[in-house]
Amino acid sequence: MTYCVGLRLNRGLVMMSDTRTNAGVDNISIFKKMFTWETVGERSVTLMTAGNLATTQALISLLNERAKPADERGAPSILEAPSMFQVARLVGATLREVIADQAGETGQEADSPFSATLILGGQIRGSDPRLFMIYPEGNFVEASEDTPFFQIGEAKYGKPILVRAYDPAMTFEDAVKLLMVSFDSTIKANLSVGPPLDLHLYEADSFRNGRVQRIEKDDPFFEMISSSWGEALREAFQRLPAYSLDD
Amino acid sequence: MTYCVGLRLNRGLVMMSDTRTNAGVDNISIFKKMFTWETVGERSVTLMTAGNLATTQALISLLNERAKPADERGAPSILEAPSMFQVARLVGATLREVIADQAGETGQEADSPFSATLILGGQIRGSDPRLFMIYPEGNFVEASEDTPFFQIGEAKYGKPILVRAYDPAMTFEDAVKLLMVSFDSTIKANLSVGPPLDLHLYEADSFRNGRVQRIEKDDPFFEMISSSWGEALREAFQRLPAYSLDD
């Protein structure tokens, strides 16, 4: 499993991903699920992946190969596509290609499907920051004011707090705090989601990658959130009016 | 989908279930998923069901038929089994029988499996109150001090608050409040879980059904919880120390 969240804020884009991959509970590894590209002054692109690790690694390798100037295929790369919409189309098409390729390679049914779901965010000069969710079929949807964030992977445990506390006008600091609470609830409930966490804060109209940070398991702030949030929840619960059985 | 929770408290058992069943989003009905039996002064038994409605209805009908004194099969009924463990075995065996029967009746694969998962709680004179989760295979597990509650159906959204705020020493009033918060988070996130809610408060060593109540959608307390919990969560979030990006 996996947990990744992309938030669209007025101030920019906030992306967070976990790093745990597992094949069964006895085979756990750490792999990066967040990838960034940039052309300073012109574009910044971030991709987060959930799904079959062989699929997502092949996808990232292909995207990287094709982004090299030496590649003479003619098709626009992730660094050349003229808009984030075209980047999303390109990533979706590449994902479909990888899945078809891997499914064709095997003569038998695999235990886990060659599938992946992606969150793509970024900005290219001439347009606002945009955030997409890309499905295994290669099609995609874009975040809007009504649905200003996307989750992939184990989304349920961490969703209630996102729904309640998200605010498009929030600061990056508050957004990081919010994501840490959401990730903490998920990590506590699902063994297949785990730290360290990767974070990218993309500032709107900066047209370059922002702060990219790895939050380790023993990060003091994350540890504080992890230990304080339970107490804060209990207090909030106790402050609600009491139910009365007399009627 | 469905959402049912059974809590084992020092004071007794608290059971809550929703009532929504659906076949697609355009075919929604209200069906009871909580069933109680009692022999006043000797036993109280509550069963909550999640899964295929035809399966769970057939299960309840069979259990009821066999609990009638007129039935001369010889096998002990839910009202005659000498312990809650034996009641759980009986319910599990009946469930397996119904599933095998329904799977055998159809010549083709059904869209949804003839499957069900159950929560069984109750007390029979001579033993403490006990709480079980029964699987479609007919086997079951019992709640313990380490795992003092069970959820069936759409369990993920409502689990974080249960984990954080459950306390075996809590009052029935607090337990109802806790379950309402847990159900509210689930109902807000999953269209296939919906009110009204059914509630049974079984008081330990009362050996009769306790308060059985239907909580309607417009129940004033439930409406208050539904509108206040979001605010309480946001406040709890804001009271957490702020994250700082300067380092």
Side-chain angles (χ1 to χ4, degrees):
Chain A
M1 210 69 176
T2 283
Y3 184 41
C4 304
V5 182
L7 301 180
R8 203 184 72 163
L9 304 176
N10 298 346
R11 214 178 136 181
L13 300 171
V14 180
M15 321 280 260
M16 193 179 274
S17 63
D18 85 317
T19 52
R20 184 162 291 176
T21 70
N22 69 304
V25 288
D26 57 349
N27 188 355
I28 289 178
S29 317
I30 294 180
F31 278 98
K32 209 167 74 154
K33 301 172 190 176
M34 179 187 288
F35 305 88
T36 56
W37 294 263
E38 68 178 338
T39 303
V40 174
E42 196 263 339
R43 77 178 61 200
S44 163
V45 174
T46 306
L47 193 62
M48 293 188 291
T49 63
N52 184 298
L53 185 64
T55 303
T56 58
Q57 286 197 340
L59 169 73
I60 300 298
S61 297
L62 265 184
L63 290 174
N64 274 330
E65 272 189 15
R66 293 174 181 175
K68 281 185 192 149
D71 192 285
E72 298 297 343
R73 301 163 49 255
S77 84
I78 205 169
L79 289 177
E80 285 159 0
S83 67
M84 281 305 297
F85 175 76
Q86 293 297 339
V87 173
R89 284 189 62 181
L90 174 73
V91 172
T94 312
L95 175 61
R96 210 165 48 226
E97 176 188 337
V98 169
I99 292 175
D101 196 38
Q102 294 189 337
E105 273 170 14
T106 170
Q108 52 192 359
E109 289 284 309
D111 262 7
S112 76
F114 303 114
S115 184
T117 307
L118 315 171
I119 293 176
L120 172 73
Q123 187 179 18
I124 295 177
R125 197 170 278 281
S127 166
D128 287 335
R130 295 174 74 175
L131 184 67
F132 298 89
M133 174 143 79
I134 303 177
Y135 297 101
E137 292 76 11
N139 57 352
F140 50 85
V141 293
E142 183 172 3
S144 63
E145 279 180 27
D146 294 323
T147 303
F149 60 83
F150 288 129
Q151 303 168 285
I152 54 177
E154 177 56 279
K156 293 186 179 184
Y157 297 109
K159 188 170 186 183
I161 185 63
L162 284 183
V163 171
R164 309 283 199 164
Y166 169 88
D167 175 356
M170 75 202 307
T171 62
F172 276 166
E173 285 83 353
D174 274 355
V176 173
K177 191 169 99 171
L178 174 60
L179 289 179
M180 281 193 183
V181 170
S182 178
F183 273 74
D184 176 58
S185 296
T186 309
I187 287 168
K188 284 215 167 57
N190 188 327
L191 283 181
S192 70
V193 177
L197 308 176
D198 283 322
L199 170 70
H200 181 203
L201 300 173
Y202 173 74
E203 199 143 353
D205 302 331
S206 68
F207 303 106
R208 59 189 303 158
N209 290 344
R211 185 192 186 97
V212 173
Q213 187 180 338
R214 174 153 286 194
I215 297 157
E216 299 291 342
K217 193 180 165 182
D218 57 359
D219 177 272
F221 188 79
F222 188 59
E223 280 191 336
M224 184 280 295
I225 290 284
S226 184
S227 57
S228 312
W229 179 238
E231 190 50 41
L233 262 189
R234 269 190 297 277
E235 276 174 24
F237 173 70
Q238 277 150 13
R239 259 192 302 272
L240 286 180
Y243 183 67
S244 162
L245 286 174
D246 312 320
D247 54 80
Chain B
M1 210 68 175
T2 283
Y3 185 40
C4 304
V5 182
L7 301 181
R8 203 184 72 163
L9 304 177
N10 298 345
R11 215 180 135 181
L13 300 171
V14 180
M15 321 279 259
M16 194 180 274
S17 63
D18 84 318
T19 52
R20 183 162 292 176
T21 69
N22 69 304
V25 289
D26 56 349
N27 188 355
I28 290 178
S29 317
I30 293 180
F31 278 98
K32 210 167 75 153
K33 301 172 190 175
M34 180 189 286
F35 305 88
T36 57
W37 293 265
E38 67 178 339
T39 304
V40 175
E42 197 262 340
R43 75 178 62 200
S44 163
V45 174
T46 306
L47 193 61
M48 294 188 290
T49 63
N52 185 296
L53 185 65
T55 303
T56 58
Q57 286 197 340
L59 169 73
I60 300 298
S61 298
L62 265 184
L63 290 174
N64 275 331
E65 274 190 13
R66 293 175 182 175
K68 282 186 192 147
D71 192 286
E72 297 297 343
R73 299 164 49 254
S77 83
I78 206 168
L79 289 178
E80 286 159 358
S83 67
M84 282 304 297
F85 175 75
Q86 293 296 342
V87 173
R89 283 188 63 180
L90 175 73
V91 172
T94 313
L95 175 61
R96 210 167 46 225
E97 176 188 338
V98 169
I99 292 176
D101 195 38
Q102 295 190 335
E105 275 171 13
T106 169
Q108 54 192 358
E109 289 284 312
D111 261 8
S112 76
F114 302 115
S115 183
T117 307
L118 315 171
I119 294 176
L120 171 74
Q123 186 178 19
I124 296 176
R125 196 170 279 280
S127 166
D128 288 335
R130 295 173 75 176
L131 184 67
F132 298 88
M133 173 143 78
I134 304 177
Y135 298 102
E137 292 77 11
N139 58 353
F140 49 86
V141 293
E142 182 173 2
S144 63
E145 279 180 27
D146 295 323
T147 304
F149 61 83
F150 288 129
Q151 304 167 283
I152 53 177
E154 178 56 281
K156 293 186 179 183
Y157 297 109
K159 188 170 186 183
I161 185 64
L162 285 183
V163 171
R164 310 285 199 162
Y166 168 88
D167 175 357
M170 72 201 309
T171 62
F172 277 167
E173 285 83 354
D174 274 356
V176 173
K177 190 169 102 170
L178 174 59
L179 288 180
M180 282 195 184
V181 171
S182 179
F183 272 75
D184 175 58
S185 296
T186 309
I187 287 169
K188 283 215 167 60
N190 188 328
L191 282 181
S192 70
V193 177
L197 308 176
D198 284 321
L199 171 70
H200 181 202
L201 300 173
Y202 173 75
E203 200 144 351
D205 303 331
S206 67
F207 303 106
R208 60 188 304 157
N209 290 343
R211 185 193 186 94
V212 173
Q213 186 180 337
R214 175 153 285 194
I215 296 156
E216 299 291 342
K217 194 181 164 180
D218 57 359
D219 178 272
F221 189 79
F222 188 58
E223 279 191 335
M224 183 280 296
I225 291 282
S226 185
S227 59
S228 313
W229 180 239
E231 190 51 40
L233 262 189
R234 271 190 296 278
E235 275 174 22
F237 174 71
Q238 277 152 11
R239 261 193 302 273
L240 287 180
Y243 183 68
S244 161
L245 286 173
D246 313 319
D247 53 81

